[in-house]
Amino acid sequence: QRTGDGLRQTWVVIIADAEYSARPLSEIRATAKPDSTYTPANLYGTLTDEKLVYDLFHTNYRVPKSHIIELVDKTDDAVTLTGATIDSAIRSLKDKVDGDDNLVVWYSGHGLGRKAKYPTGTWMLNGGQYTAAELSEALDYLGADANYIFSDSCHAGGFGSQVTAKNSVVFSAAKASQYSAEDMRGGGLFTRTMVPLLQKTGSLLDSF
């Protein structure tokens, strides 16, 4: 852990995966309710989530743009999110985050449950997956004073329960066996509910 400089700064990594065209349909169906005819594929609402979260930290909490990393996989671009993409982005903050700082990781996308071939505790990406174990290693590598992880996905509780990084708290949209929901106005119900609550405060420390 880097020695603190006496200043508490906030660093934010926002992950929003809207496109899932690269995933086998059988894997995508494994995240759906067993009795559902709905086949989840692209998650357009994650783009709404990303904007809400960005505005929360930049506008309300006054986090500089240079402190915010946006990882977005839209349906009309050449970007394909992978676990390596996320891991590299988080670890790129190594020489910036120190022992006095806050680190926020906010994910909006599909989550894998017990029916999938990957273990519970996995964010399902268009180009692969990212596990709670990988996130934990990356967070400990940075050594922030406080890590805040927000997981807006199905089975998010399974992911959160496996985060072992020091000084971390996880907020999950659903239990390991549950499915998350989208608000009728677009975006995840978890994010649309959480962001207004956080907007009522002036900082992360005031929120929690």
Side-chain angles (χ1 to χ4, degrees), residues 136-193:
S136 297
E137 290 181 10
L139 296 181
D140 282 338
Y141 174 71
L142 296 184
D145 181 61
N147 299 307
Y148 300 91
I149 300 103
F150 297 83
S151 187
D152 194 349
S153 70
C154 292
H155 315 295
F159 187 96
S161 67
Q162 295 183 33
V163 172
T164 59
K166 299 176 182 177
N167 307 322
S168 297
V169 59
V170 184
F171 301 88
S172 303
K175 295 180 180 179
S177 60
Q178 292 179 327
Y179 306 92
S180 60
E182 287 198 348
D183 187 275
M184 292 182 64
R185 291 173 291 174
L189 183 59
F190 170 82
T191 295
R192 190 175 287 278
T193 301

CSV table of all heavy atoms in Angstrom, one decimal, residues 136-193:
chain,number,residue,atom,x,y,z
A,136,SER,N,-10.5,-8.6,-6.6
A,136,SER,CA,-9.8,-8.5,-5.3
A,136,SER,C,-8.3,-8.4,-5.4
A,136,SER,O,-7.7,-7.6,-4.7
A,136,SER,CB,-10.2,-9.8,-4.5
A,136,SER,OG,-11.6,-9.9,-4.3
A,137,GLU,N,-7.7,-9.1,-6.3
A,137,GLU,CA,-6.3,-9.0,-6.5
A,137,GLU,C,-5.9,-7.6,-7.0
A,137,GLU,O,-4.9,-7.0,-6.6
A,137,GLU,CB,-5.8,-10.1,-7.5
A,137,GLU,CG,-5.8,-11.5,-6.9
A,137,GLU,CD,-5.3,-12.5,-7.9
A,137,GLU,OE1,-4.8,-12.1,-9.0
A,137,GLU,OE2,-5.5,-13.7,-7.7
A,138,ALA,N,-6.7,-7.1,-7.9
A,138,ALA,CA,-6.4,-5.8,-8.5
A,138,ALA,C,-6.6,-4.7,-7.4
A,138,ALA,O,-5.7,-3.7,-7.3
A,138,ALA,CB,-7.3,-5.5,-9.7
A,139,LEU,N,-7.6,-4.8,-6.6
A,139,LEU,CA,-7.8,-3.8,-5.5
A,139,LEU,C,-6.7,-3.8,-4.5
A,139,LEU,O,-6.2,-2.8,-4.1
A,139,LEU,CB,-9.2,-4.0,-4.9
A,139,LEU,CG,-10.4,-3.9,-5.8
A,139,LEU,CD1,-11.7,-4.1,-5.0
A,139,LEU,CD2,-10.4,-2.5,-6.4
A,140,ASP,N,-6.3,-5.0,-4.1
A,140,ASP,CA,-5.2,-5.1,-3.1
A,140,ASP,C,-3.9,-4.6,-3.7
A,140,ASP,O,-3.0,-4.1,-3.0
A,140,ASP,CB,-5.0,-6.5,-2.7
A,140,ASP,CG,-6.1,-6.9,-1.6
A,140,ASP,OD1,-6.6,-6.0,-1.0
A,140,ASP,OD2,-6.3,-8.1,-1.5
A,141,TYR,N,-3.7,-4.8,-5.0
A,141,TYR,CA,-2.5,-4.2,-5.7
A,141,TYR,C,-2.5,-2.7,-5.6
A,141,TYR,O,-1.4,-2.2,-5.5
A,141,TYR,CB,-2.6,-4.7,-7.2
A,141,TYR,CG,-1.5,-4.1,-8.1
A,141,TYR,CD1,-0.2,-4.6,-8.0
A,141,TYR,CD2,-1.8,-3.2,-9.1
A,141,TYR,CE1,0.8,-4.1,-8.8
A,141,TYR,CE2,-0.9,-2.7,-9.9
A,141,TYR,CZ,0.4,-3.1,-9.8
A,141,TYR,OH,1.4,-2.6,-10.6
A,142,LEU,N,-3.6,-2.1,-5.7
A,142,LEU,CA,-3.6,-0.6,-5.6
A,142,LEU,C,-3.5,-0.1,-4.2
A,142,LEU,O,-2.8,0.9,-3.9
A,142,LEU,CB,-4.9,0.0,-6.2
A,142,LEU,CG,-5.2,-0.3,-7.7
A,142,LEU,CD1,-6.5,0.4,-8.1
A,142,LEU,CD2,-4.0,0.2,-8.5
A,143,GLY,N,-4.2,-0.8,-3.2
A,143,GLY,CA,-4.0,-0.4,-1.8
A,143,GLY,C,-4.7,0.9,-1.4
A,143,GLY,O,-4.2,1.7,-0.6
A,144,ALA,N,-5.9,1.1,-1.9
A,144,ALA,CA,-6.6,2.3,-1.5
A,144,ALA,C,-7.1,2.2,0.0
A,144,ALA,O,-7.2,1.1,0.5
A,144,ALA,CB,-7.9,2.5,-2.4
A,145,ASP,N,-7.4,3.3,0.6
A,145,ASP,CA,-7.9,3.3,2.0
A,145,ASP,C,-9.3,2.7,2.0
A,145,ASP,O,-9.6,2.0,3.0
A,145,ASP,CB,-8.0,4.7,2.5
A,145,ASP,CG,-8.4,4.7,4.0
A,145,ASP,OD1,-7.8,4.1,4.8
A,145,ASP,OD2,-9.5,5.3,4.3
A,146,ALA,N,-10.1,2.9,1.0
A,146,ALA,CA,-11.5,2.4,1.0
A,146,ALA,C,-11.9,2.0,-0.4
A,146,ALA,O,-11.7,2.8,-1.3
A,146,ALA,CB,-12.5,3.4,1.6
A,147,ASN,N,-12.4,0.8,-0.6
A,147,ASN,CA,-12.9,0.4,-1.9
A,147,ASN,C,-14.4,0.2,-1.9
A,147,ASN,O,-14.9,-0.4,-1.0
A,147,ASN,CB,-12.3,-1.0,-2.3
A,147,ASN,CG,-10.8,-1.0,-2.4
A,147,ASN,OD1,-10.2,-0.1,-3.1
A,147,ASN,ND2,-10.1,-1.9,-1.7
A,148,TYR,N,-15.1,0.8,-2.8
A,148,TYR,CA,-16.6,0.7,-2.9
A,148,TYR,C,-16.9,0.1,-4.2
A,148,TYR,O,-16.6,0.6,-5.3
A,148,TYR,CB,-17.2,2.1,-2.9
A,148,TYR,CG,-16.9,2.9,-1.6
A,148,TYR,CD1,-15.8,3.8,-1.5
A,148,TYR,CD2,-17.8,2.8,-0.5
A,148,TYR,CE1,-15.6,4.5,-0.4
A,148,TYR,CE2,-17.5,3.5,0.7
A,148,TYR,CZ,-16.4,4.4,0.7
A,148,TYR,OH,-16.1,5.1,1.8
A,149,ILE,N,-17.5,-1.1,-4.2
A,149,ILE,CA,-17.9,-1.9,-5.4
A,149,ILE,C,-19.4,-1.9,-5.5
A,149,ILE,O,-20.1,-2.3,-4.6
A,149,ILE,CB,-17.3,-3.3,-5.3
A,149,ILE,CG1,-15.8,-3.3,-5.2
A,149,ILE,CG2,-17.7,-4.0,-6.6
A,149,ILE,CD1,-15.3,-3.6,-3.9
A,150,PHE,N,-19.9,-1.5,-6.6
A,150,PHE,CA,-21.4,-1.5,-6.9
A,150,PHE,C,-21.6,-2.5,-8.1
A,150,PHE,O,-21.0,-2.3,-9.1
A,150,PHE,CB,-21.9,-0.1,-7.3
A,150,PHE,CG,-21.7,0.9,-6.2
A,150,PHE,CD1,-20.5,1.6,-6.0
A,150,PHE,CD2,-22.8,1.2,-5.3
A,150,PHE,CE1,-20.4,2.5,-5.0
A,150,PHE,CE2,-22.7,2.1,-4.3
A,150,PHE,CZ,-21.5,2.8,-4.1
A,151,SER,N,-22.4,-3.5,-7.9
A,151,SER,CA,-22.6,-4.5,-8.9
A,151,SER,C,-24.1,-4.5,-9.3
A,151,SER,O,-24.9,-5.1,-8.6
A,151,SER,CB,-22.1,-5.9,-8.4
A,151,SER,OG,-22.2,-6.8,-9.4
A,152,ASP,N,-24.4,-4.0,-10.4
A,152,ASP,CA,-25.8,-3.9,-10.9
A,152,ASP,C,-25.9,-5.1,-12.0
A,152,ASP,O,-25.8,-4.8,-13.2
A,152,ASP,CB,-26.1,-2.6,-11.6
A,152,ASP,CG,-27.6,-2.4,-11.8
A,152,ASP,OD1,-28.3,-3.4,-11.7
A,152,ASP,OD2,-28.0,-1.3,-12.1
A,153,SER,N,-26.2,-6.3,-11.5
A,153,SER,CA,-26.3,-7.4,-12.4
A,153,SER,C,-27.1,-8.5,-11.7
A,153,SER,O,-27.2,-8.5,-10.5
A,153,SER,CB,-24.9,-8.0,-12.8
A,153,SER,OG,-24.3,-8.6,-11.6
A,154,CYS,N,-27.5,-9.5,-12.5
A,154,CYS,CA,-28.1,-10.7,-11.8
A,154,CYS,C,-27.1,-11.4,-11.1
A,154,CYS,O,-25.9,-11.4,-11.4
A,154,CYS,CB,-28.7,-11.6,-12.9
A,154,CYS,SG,-30.1,-10.9,-13.8
A,155,HIS,N,-27.5,-12.0,-10.0
A,155,HIS,CA,-26.6,-12.9,-9.2
A,155,HIS,C,-25.4,-12.1,-8.5
A,155,HIS,O,-24.4,-12.6,-8.2
A,155,HIS,CB,-26.0,-14.0,-10.0
A,155,HIS,CG,-27.0,-14.7,-10.8
A,155,HIS,ND1,-28.1,-15.4,-10.3
A,155,HIS,CD2,-27.2,-14.8,-12.2
A,155,HIS,CE1,-28.9,-15.9,-11.2
A,155,HIS,NE2,-28.3,-15.6,-12.4
A,156,ALA,N,-25.7,-10.8,-8.4
A,156,ALA,CA,-24.6,-9.9,-7.9
A,156,ALA,C,-24.1,-10.2,-6.5
A,156,ALA,O,-22.9,-10.0,-6.2
A,156,ALA,CB,-25.0,-8.4,-8.0
A,157,GLY,N,-25.0,-10.8,-5.7
A,157,GLY,CA,-24.6,-11.2,-4.4
A,157,GLY,C,-23.5,-12.3,-4.4
A,157,GLY,O,-22.7,-12.3,-3.5
A,158,GLY,N,-23.6,-13.1,-5.4
A,158,GLY,CA,-22.6,-14.2,-5.5
A,158,GLY,C,-21.2,-13.6,-5.7
A,158,GLY,O,-20.2,-14.0,-5.2
A,159,PHE,N,-21.2,-12.5,-6.6
A,159,PHE,CA,-19.9,-11.8,-6.8
A,159,PHE,C,-19.5,-11.1,-5.6
A,159,PHE,O,-18.3,-11.3,-5.2
A,159,PHE,CB,-20.2,-10.8,-8.0
A,159,PHE,CG,-18.9,-10.1,-8.4
A,159,PHE,CD1,-18.2,-10.6,-9.6
A,159,PHE,CD2,-18.4,-9.0,-7.8
A,159,PHE,CE1,-17.1,-10.0,-10.0
A,159,PHE,CE2,-17.2,-8.4,-8.2
A,159,PHE,CZ,-16.6,-8.9,-9.4
A,160,GLY,N,-20.4,-10.4,-4.9
A,160,GLY,CA,-20.0,-9.6,-3.8
A,160,GLY,C,-19.5,-10.4,-2.6
A,160,GLY,O,-18.5,-10.1,-1.9
A,161,SER,N,-20.0,-11.6,-2.4
A,161,SER,CA,-19.6,-12.5,-1.3
A,161,SER,C,-18.2,-13.0,-1.5
A,161,SER,O,-17.6,-13.5,-0.6
A,161,SER,CB,-20.6,-13.6,-1.2
A,161,SER,OG,-20.6,-14.5,-2.3
A,162,GLN,N,-17.7,-13.0,-2.7
A,162,GLN,CA,-16.4,-13.5,-3.0
A,162,GLN,C,-15.3,-12.4,-3.2
A,162,GLN,O,-14.2,-12.8,-3.5
A,162,GLN,CB,-16.5,-14.4,-4.3
A,162,GLN,CG,-17.3,-15.6,-4.1
A,162,GLN,CD,-17.3,-16.5,-5.3
A,162,GLN,OE1,-16.4,-16.6,-6.0
A,162,GLN,NE2,-18.5,-17.2,-5.5
A,163,VAL,N,-15.7,-11.2,-2.9
A,163,VAL,CA,-14.7,-10.1,-2.9
A,163,VAL,C,-13.9,-10.2,-1.6
A,163,VAL,O,-14.5,-10.0,-0.5
A,163,VAL,CB,-15.4,-8.7,-3.1
A,163,VAL,CG1,-14.3,-7.6,-2.9
A,163,VAL,CG2,-16.0,-8.6,-4.5
A,164,THR,N,-12.6,-10.4,-1.7
A,164,THR,CA,-11.8,-10.5,-0.5
A,164,THR,C,-10.8,-9.4,-0.2
A,164,THR,O,-10.0,-9.4,0.7
A,164,THR,CB,-11.1,-11.9,-0.5
A,164,THR,OG1,-10.2,-11.9,-1.6
A,164,THR,CG2,-12.0,-13.0,-0.6
A,165,ALA,N,-10.9,-8.4,-1.1
A,165,ALA,CA,-9.9,-7.3,-1.0
A,165,ALA,C,-10.1,-6.6,0.3
A,165,ALA,O,-11.2,-6.4,0.8
A,165,ALA,CB,-10.1,-6.3,-2.2
A,166,LYS,N,-9.0,-6.1,0.9
A,166,LYS,CA,-9.0,-5.4,2.1
A,166,LYS,C,-9.7,-4.0,2.0
A,166,LYS,O,-9.8,-3.5,0.9
A,166,LYS,CB,-7.6,-5.1,2.6
A,166,LYS,CG,-6.7,-6.3,2.9
A,166,LYS,CD,-5.3,-6.0,3.2
A,166,LYS,CE,-4.4,-7.2,3.4
A,166,LYS,NZ,-3.0,-6.9,3.7
A,167,ASN,N,-10.3,-3.6,3.0
A,167,ASN,CA,-11.0,-2.3,3.1
A,167,ASN,C,-12.0,-2.1,2.0
A,167,ASN,O,-12.1,-1.1,1.4
A,167,ASN,CB,-9.9,-1.2,3.0
A,167,ASN,CG,-8.8,-1.3,3.9
A,167,ASN,OD1,-9.0,-1.6,5.1
A,167,ASN,ND2,-7.6,-1.0,3.5
A,168,SER,N,-12.8,-3.2,1.8
A,168,SER,CA,-13.8,-3.1,0.7
A,168,SER,C,-15.2,-3.3,1.2
A,168,SER,O,-15.5,-4.1,2.2
A,168,SER,CB,-13.5,-4.2,-0.3
A,168,SER,OG,-12.3,-4.0,-0.9
A,169,VAL,N,-16.2,-2.6,0.6
A,169,VAL,CA,-17.6,-2.8,0.8
A,169,VAL,C,-18.3,-3.0,-0.5
A,169,VAL,O,-17.9,-2.3,-1.5
A,169,VAL,CB,-18.2,-1.7,1.6
A,169,VAL,CG1,-18.0,-0.4,0.9
A,169,VAL,CG2,-19.7,-1.9,1.9
A,170,VAL,N,-19.2,-4.0,-0.6
A,170,VAL,CA,-19.9,-4.3,-1.9
A,170,VAL,C,-21.4,-4.0,-1.8
A,170,VAL,O,-22.0,-4.5,-0.8
A,170,VAL,CB,-19.6,-5.7,-2.3
A,170,VAL,CG1,-20.2,-6.0,-3.7
A,170,VAL,CG2,-18.1,-6.0,-2.3
A,171,PHE,N,-21.9,-3.4,-2.8
A,171,PHE,CA,-23.4,-3.1,-2.9
A,171,PHE,C,-23.9,-3.9,-4.1
A,171,PHE,O,-23.4,-3.7,-5.2
A,171,PHE,CB,-23.6,-1.6,-3.0
A,171,PHE,CG,-23.1,-0.8,-1.9
A,171,PHE,CD1,-21.8,-0.3,-1.9
A,171,PHE,CD2,-23.9,-0.5,-0.8
A,171,PHE,CE1,-21.3,0.4,-0.9
A,171,PHE,CE2,-23.4,0.2,0.3
A,171,PHE,CZ,-22.1,0.7,0.2
A,172,SER,N,-24.8,-4.8,-3.8
A,172,SER,CA,-25.3,-5.7,-4.9
A,172,SER,C,-26.7,-5.5,-5.2
A,172,SER,O,-27.6,-5.3,-4.4
A,172,SER,CB,-25.1,-7.2,-4.4
A,172,SER,OG,-23.7,-7.4,-4.1
A,173,ALA,N,-27.0,-5.7,-6.5
A,173,ALA,CA,-28.4,-5.5,-7.0
A,173,ALA,C,-29.3,-6.7,-6.7
A,173,ALA,O,-30.5,-6.6,-6.7
A,173,ALA,CB,-28.4,-5.2,-8.5
A,174,ALA,N,-28.7,-7.8,-6.4
A,174,ALA,CA,-29.5,-9.1,-6.1
A,174,ALA,C,-28.6,-10.0,-5.3
A,174,ALA,O,-27.4,-9.9,-5.2
A,174,ALA,CB,-29.9,-9.7,-7.5
A,175,LYS,N,-29.3,-11.0,-4.7
A,175,LYS,CA,-28.6,-12.0,-4.0
A,175,LYS,C,-28.0,-13.0,-5.0
A,175,LYS,O,-28.3,-12.9,-6.2
A,175,LYS,CB,-29.6,-12.8,-3.1
A,175,LYS,CG,-30.1,-12.0,-1.9
A,175,LYS,CD,-31.0,-12.8,-1.1
A,175,LYS,CE,-31.6,-12.0,0.1
A,175,LYS,NZ,-32.5,-12.8,0.9
A,176,ALA,N,-27.2,-13.9,-4.6
A,176,ALA,CA,-26.6,-14.9,-5.5
A,176,ALA,C,-27.6,-15.7,-6.3
A,176,ALA,O,-27.3,-16.0,-7.5
A,176,ALA,CB,-25.7,-15.8,-4.7
A,177,SER,N,-28.7,-15.9,-5.8
A,177,SER,CA,-29.7,-16.7,-6.5
A,177,SER,C,-30.8,-15.9,-7.1
A,177,SER,O,-31.7,-16.5,-7.7
A,177,SER,CB,-30.4,-17.7,-5.5
A,177,SER,OG,-31.0,-17.0,-4.4
A,178,GLN,N,-30.7,-14.6,-7.1
A,178,GLN,CA,-31.7,-13.7,-7.6
A,178,GLN,C,-31.3,-13.1,-8.9
A,178,GLN,O,-30.1,-13.0,-9.3
A,178,GLN,CB,-32.0,-12.6,-6.6
A,178,GLN,CG,-32.7,-13.1,-5.3
A,178,GLN,CD,-32.9,-12.0,-4.3
A,178,GLN,OE1,-32.2,-11.0,-4.3
A,178,GLN,NE2,-34.0,-12.1,-3.6
A,179,TYR,N,-32.4,-12.5,-9.6
A,179,TYR,CA,-32.2,-11.8,-10.8
A,179,TYR,C,-32.4,-10.3,-10.5
A,179,TYR,O,-33.3,-9.9,-9.8
A,179,TYR,CB,-33.2,-12.3,-11.9
A,179,TYR,CG,-33.1,-13.8,-12.1
A,179,TYR,CD1,-33.9,-14.6,-11.4
A,179,TYR,CD2,-32.2,-14.3,-13.0
A,179,TYR,CE1,-33.8,-16.0,-11.5
A,179,TYR,CE2,-32.1,-15.7,-13.1
A,179,TYR,CZ,-32.9,-16.5,-12.4
A,179,TYR,OH,-32.8,-17.9,-12.6
A,180,SER,N,-31.6,-9.4,-11.1
A,180,SER,CA,-31.8,-8.0,-11.0
A,180,SER,C,-32.8,-7.5,-12.0
A,180,SER,O,-33.2,-8.3,-12.9
A,180,SER,CB,-30.5,-7.3,-11.2
A,180,SER,OG,-30.0,-7.5,-12.5
A,181,ALA,N,-33.3,-6.3,-11.8
A,181,ALA,CA,-34.4,-5.8,-12.7
A,181,ALA,C,-34.0,-4.5,-13.3
A,181,ALA,O,-33.1,-3.7,-12.8
A,181,ALA,CB,-35.6,-5.6,-11.9
A,182,GLU,N,-34.6,-4.2,-14.5
A,182,GLU,CA,-34.4,-2.9,-15.1
A,182,GLU,C,-35.6,-2.0,-14.8
A,182,GLU,O,-36.7,-2.5,-14.8
A,182,GLU,CB,-34.2,-3.1,-16.6
A,182,GLU,CG,-32.9,-3.7,-17.0
A,182,GLU,CD,-32.5,-3.4,-18.5
A,182,GLU,OE1,-33.4,-3.0,-19.2
A,182,GLU,OE2,-31.4,-3.6,-18.8
A,183,ASP,N,-35.3,-0.7,-14.6
A,183,ASP,CA,-36.4,0.2,-14.4
A,183,ASP,C,-37.1,0.5,-15.7
A,183,ASP,O,-36.5,0.4,-16.8
A,183,ASP,CB,-35.8,1.6,-13.9
A,183,ASP,CG,-36.8,2.6,-13.6
A,183,ASP,OD1,-37.3,3.3,-14.5
A,183,ASP,OD2,-37.1,2.7,-12.4
A,184,MET,N,-38.4,0.7,-15.7
A,184,MET,CA,-39.2,0.9,-16.9
A,184,MET,C,-38.7,2.1,-17.7
A,184,MET,O,-38.9,2.2,-18.9
A,184,MET,CB,-40.6,1.1,-16.6
A,184,MET,CG,-41.3,-0.2,-16.0
A,184,MET,SD,-43.1,0.1,-15.7
A,184,MET,CE,-43.7,0.3,-17.4
A,185,ARG,N,-38.0,3.0,-17.1
A,185,ARG,CA,-37.5,4.2,-17.8
A,185,ARG,C,-36.1,3.9,-18.4
A,185,ARG,O,-35.5,4.8,-19.1
A,185,ARG,CB,-37.4,5.4,-16.9
A,185,ARG,CG,-38.7,5.9,-16.4
A,185,ARG,CD,-38.5,7.0,-15.4
A,185,ARG,NE,-38.1,6.4,-14.1
A,185,ARG,CZ,-37.7,7.2,-13.0
A,185,ARG,NH1,-37.8,8.5,-13.1
A,185,ARG,NH2,-37.3,6.6,-11.9
A,186,GLY,N,-35.6,2.7,-18.3
A,186,GLY,CA,-34.3,2.4,-18.8
A,186,GLY,C,-33.3,2.4,-17.7
A,186,GLY,O,-33.2,3.2,-16.9
A,187,GLY,N,-32.4,1.4,-17.8
A,187,GLY,CA,-31.3,1.3,-16.8
A,187,GLY,C,-31.7,0.3,-15.7
A,187,GLY,O,-32.8,-0.1,-15.6
A,188,GLY,N,-30.7,0.0,-14.9
A,188,GLY,CA,-30.9,-0.9,-13.8
A,188,GLY,C,-31.7,-0.3,-12.7
A,188,GLY,O,-31.4,0.9,-12.3
A,189,LEU,N,-32.6,-1.0,-12.1
A,189,LEU,CA,-33.4,-0.5,-11.0
A,189,LEU,C,-32.5,-0.2,-9.8
A,189,LEU,O,-32.7,0.8,-9.1
A,189,LEU,CB,-34.4,-1.5,-10.6
A,189,LEU,CG,-35.4,-1.1,-9.4
A,189,LEU,CD1,-36.2,0.1,-9.8
A,189,LEU,CD2,-36.4,-2.3,-9.1
A,190,PHE,N,-31.4,-1.0,-9.6
A,190,PHE,CA,-30.5,-0.8,-8.5
A,190,PHE,C,-29.8,0.6,-8.7
A,190,PHE,O,-29.7,1.4,-7.8
A,190,PHE,CB,-29.4,-1.9,-8.6
A,190,PHE,CG,-28.2,-1.7,-7.7
A,190,PHE,CD1,-28.3,-2.0,-6.3
A,190,PHE,CD2,-27.0,-1.2,-8.2
A,190,PHE,CE1,-27.2,-1.8,-5.5
A,190,PHE,CE2,-25.9,-1.0,-7.4
A,190,PHE,CZ,-26.0,-1.3,-6.0
A,191,THR,N,-29.2,0.8,-9.9
A,191,THR,CA,-28.5,2.1,-10.1
A,191,THR,C,-29.4,3.3,-10.0
A,191,THR,O,-29.1,4.3,-9.4
A,191,THR,CB,-27.8,2.1,-11.5
A,191,THR,OG1,-26.8,1.0,-11.5
A,191,THR,CG2,-27.1,3.4,-11.8
A,192,ARG,N,-30.6,3.2,-10.6
A,192,ARG,CA,-31.5,4.3,-10.6
A,192,ARG,C,-32.0,4.6,-9.2
A,192,ARG,O,-32.4,5.7,-8.9
A,192,ARG,CB,-32.7,4.0,-11.5
A,192,ARG,CG,-33.6,5.3,-11.8
A,192,ARG,CD,-34.7,5.0,-12.8
A,192,ARG,NE,-34.1,4.9,-14.1
A,192,ARG,CZ,-33.9,6.0,-14.9
A,192,ARG,NH1,-34.0,7.2,-14.4
A,192,ARG,NH2,-33.4,5.9,-16.1
A,193,THR,N,-32.0,3.6,-8.3
A,193,THR,CA,-32.4,3.8,-6.9
A,193,THR,C,-31.3,4.3,-6.1
A,193,THR,O,-31.4,5.2,-5.3
A,193,THR,CB,-32.9,2.5,-6.3
A,193,THR,OG1,-34.1,2.0,-7.1
A,193,THR,CG2,-33.4,2.7,-4.9
